[in-house]
Amino acid sequence: MTLQLALMGAGGKMGCRITDNIMKNPAFRAAYVEISPAGIEALAKRGLSPTPQAEALASADAVILAVPDKLIGKITHEIIPLLRPGTLVVGLDPAAAYAEVMPIRADLSYFVAHPCHPPMFHDEITEEARTDWFGGVKAKHHIVCALHSGPEEDYAKGEQIARAMYAPVMESYRLTVEQMAILEPALVETFSSTLITAIKEAYDEAIKLGVPADAAWAFLSGHARIQFAVIFGMAGFPFSDGAKLAIQQAYSKILQPDWKEKVMNIEAIKASVAEITGKI
């Protein structure tokens, strides 16, 4: 059975990624909804023209929300009343669902899917795949999915769409929307992106102190790989005694003692997604 999709924001950054994958997948027909001049131009480069929103929604089996988090509340309040019973609403990020900014209709289903991006430890052999940093073009990656609302049988439909949007996909992990929000924003945006930003600043300081940039990058990137392997139990051997001592001495200097309560805490995560979606 061919599914009819309405892709909102089809010419945007994420919209174009999804458009490129959906338009070559015979399991789907798609109507591409876009209103910005830049987005319309991006669709034209792909040989596509936008479909009026009302027309696209009227026949949609599923609606994909490739729009900014802060606009999802406004847009869904406009479009949800127009959807046919049984339509699947697909979000690309857990924030809007977790912040409860979308109107929920009992006769619709709501699904969320997000890419994990290509793994640090991978088996890609081509340069195109190795430098597909986001994934979904040449590089394989995993995805996470959640059925936020609706009958259980709609999970399979949502996962089918998600695998097509983000192809090529390896594993698809089923989570709850709250579990997805724990991963993003909390784990990967609030926490790890902040730490990696600090790592870049430390790298810059090393260069200021006279280390050649290419040597610093080779040293840091190689060590980061083995550090992940050791800390997450993949390497099969521990850190040296000197490395253990350095971690012990630096931990309290770099991280506040209550950082877990401030970051990896459900109430903090709820506040974060409320800010992301413009709810507060």
Side-chain angles (χ1 to χ4, degrees), residues 90-256:
V90 180
L92 308 183
D93 184 282
Y98 196 51
E100 300 180 335
V101 298
M102 296 188 295
I104 300 295
R105 265 176 52 186
D107 60 347
L108 302 180
S109 294
Y110 296 77
F111 189 88
V112 184
H114 196 78
C116 296
H117 305 301
M120 178 182 296
F121 302 96
H122 59 76
D123 62 356
E124 302 293 357
I125 59 174
T126 69
E127 184 66 14
E128 284 183 312
R130 287 195 298 268
T131 56
D132 179 10
W133 307 111
F134 189 94
V137 180
K138 297 295 183 180
K140 305 182 295 293
H141 56 170
H142 308 296
I143 60 175
V144 292
C145 301
L147 181 63
H148 182 51
S149 176
E152 175 61 25
E153 55 265 27
D154 279 346
Y155 181 85
K157 183 192 298 183
E159 186 181 44
Q160 178 192 5
I161 294 169
R163 282 184 170 276
M165 291 193 304
Y166 298 128
V169 170
M170 294 183 286
E171 292 291 332
S172 173
Y173 297 101
R174 183 169 185 174
L175 304 178
T176 66
V177 166
E178 181 168 84
Q179 288 170 336
M180 290 180 70
I182 291 169
L183 294 179
E184 182 172 317
L187 178 61
V188 301
E189 289 181 340
T190 306
F191 190 66
S192 68
S193 289
T194 301
L195 292 187
I196 293 168
T197 298
I199 289 171
K200 173 58 165 61
E201 292 175 0
Y203 162 86
D204 291 338
E205 292 302 311
I207 293 170
K208 289 178 185 178
L209 291 170
V211 180
D214 54 353
W217 172 247
F219 202 83
L220 173 62
S221 59
H223 277 72
R225 183 174 182 271
I226 195 171
Q227 286 161 348
F228 266 86
V230 170
I231 291 170
F232 284 90
M234 294 177 282
F237 53 82
F239 280 133
S240 67
D241 290 342
K244 291 178 182 177
L245 179 61
I247 294 168
Q248 181 182 350
Q249 292 179 335
Y251 194 94
S252 61
K253 295 177 183 178
I254 297 172
L255 296 172
Q256 296 180 8

Side-chain angles (χ1 to χ4, degrees), residues 33-108:
V33 180
E34 182 57 66
I35 60 172
S36 75
I40 292 171
E41 182 179 351
L43 290 179
K45 290 179 180 177
R46 291 163 168 80
L48 302 171
S49 57
T51 299
Q53 178 174 289
E55 179 183 336
L57 297 178
S59 59
D61 297 310
V63 177
I64 302 170
L65 303 172
V67 296
D69 288 321
K70 285 199 172 183
L71 296 180
I72 286 182
K74 177 179 181 293
I75 291 172
T76 53
H77 275 82
E78 293 175 0
I79 69 171
I80 292 297
L82 306 177
L83 302 180
R84 299 181 301 166
T87 301
L88 181 66
V89 180
V90 180
L92 308 183
D93 184 282
Y98 196 51
E100 300 180 335
V101 298
M102 296 188 295
I104 300 295
R105 265 176 52 186
D107 60 347
L108 302 180

Side-chain angles (χ1 to χ4, degrees), residues 9-18 34 46 66:
K13 289 184 291 185
M14 274 306 302
C16 283
R17 290 181 179 276
I18 295 170
E34 182 57 66
R46 291 163 168 80

